[in-house]
Amino acid sequence: MNRRTLLLAGLAAPAIAPGLAAAQSFPSRPITLLVPFPPGGSTDIQMRAFAEAATRAFGVNVITENRPGAGATLSAAAMLRTQPDGYTIAQLPLPALRLPFMQRMAFNPRTDFTPIIHLTGYLFMMCVRQDSPYQSWADLVADCRRRPGEVRWGNTGANGTPHLTLVDIAQRENLDVIHVPFRGEADSTPNILGGHIEAAATGSGPLTLIAQGRMRALNVWSRERSAKIPEVPTLTELGYENMVVTSPYGLVGPRGMNPEIVHRLHEGFRAALHDPAHLATLERIDMPLEYLNTADYAAFMARTTDEEEARVNRLGLRM
């Protein structure tokens, strides 16, 4: 082959752009999932099972990294310092769409994330220790009326969805209670068991303790009763009209991600979401499967961000 033939062969085979090559080979190393809650709660349980399923789907290790604190916004804030290469992804809880309207934060929920996939939501409940004198929600409310400013209600984080729901309930009932924020249900649960607080709003992590007879739920915040604790009424049944609270969440990356990498992440994560082992985990902790593809999740995020901004303004919430 002469020199002219070699040159023509080179012209006939254009070089692959570096970004396209990276997308075509993605993933080629471990993926990190940032989780803005401590180990041990329902979010951590679900995300670890999901990461194990995603490892099988992608053929590379998918690792969860817990970053609790700052009202469950640390994983979102980390996206500002993350390369948009798809190897670091964040779980995005609703506080990340709410808190920027309550205080100055580094990230903008409308512009600083790349939506990938929506996953699930929570089964929230109000829990007490099994030997608590509160046999029902009405008992707890009655004691709060008898002892204004004394009864302690725990929550999974200041200005998180459980906290604001409890504030809403206390206002509706005209109750004066002490709101005690924790970094997640993994922190609030030991405080219930230790008698440091009278009750707490949690996710479904305590279901095991309820089955063991160590804790008791007074209500659930889902639309229907939980199949795990069918004797426990919903907030709607207790007279709080249309109060259904699940705080759904999904996964995002930093802005500016290559669409092909987003597509590959979505496909792998969708397979993980429907993996039988992951579905069994969702069933065990009574969290619903709430899959949305990338486009639908982007629309959900935009709509929910608008709703959270309006809620903050309507309630006059500021930090």
Side-chain angles (χ1 to χ4, degrees), residues 158-174:
N159 295 299
T161 301
H163 179 205
L164 295 188
T165 302
L166 291 183
V167 169
D168 189 355
I169 290 174
Q171 289 179 350
R172 294 189 191 200
E173 295 283 1
N174 195 26

Side-chain angles (χ1 to χ4, degrees), residues 36-47:
F37 296 98
S42 56
T43 310
D44 181 66
I45 293 169
Q46 181 270 319
M47 289 298 288

Side-chain angles (χ1 to χ4, degrees), residues 299-313:
F300 169 87
M301 283 179 58
R303 181 175 66 254
T304 304
T305 299
D306 289 344
E307 291 170 353
E308 290 297 329
E309 182 180 21
R311 180 185 190 185
V312 166
N313 291 334

Side-chain angles (χ1 to χ4, degrees), residues 239-294:
Y240 303 98
E241 187 175 356
N242 298 322
M243 186 173 276
V244 177
V245 183
T246 61
S247 197
Y249 60 83
L251 303 180
V252 300
R255 65 181 174 184
M257 290 181 65
N258 183 309
E260 177 60 26
I261 290 178
V262 174
H263 173 71
R264 291 183 177 225
L265 283 169
H266 170 269
E267 292 302 292
F269 286 144
R270 181 175 64 171
L273 185 64
H274 293 88
D275 182 284
H278 177 251
L279 291 176
T281 298
L282 289 181
E283 194 277 334
R284 177 166 60 88
I285 56 179
D286 213 354
M287 294 176 69
L289 177 69
E290 295 187 351
Y291 163 73
L292 292 176
N293 64 28
T294 300

Side-chain angles (χ1 to χ4, degrees), residues 63-74:
I63 305 160
T64 60
E65 181 179 315
N66 299 87
R67 294 197 181 182
T73 63
L74 291 183

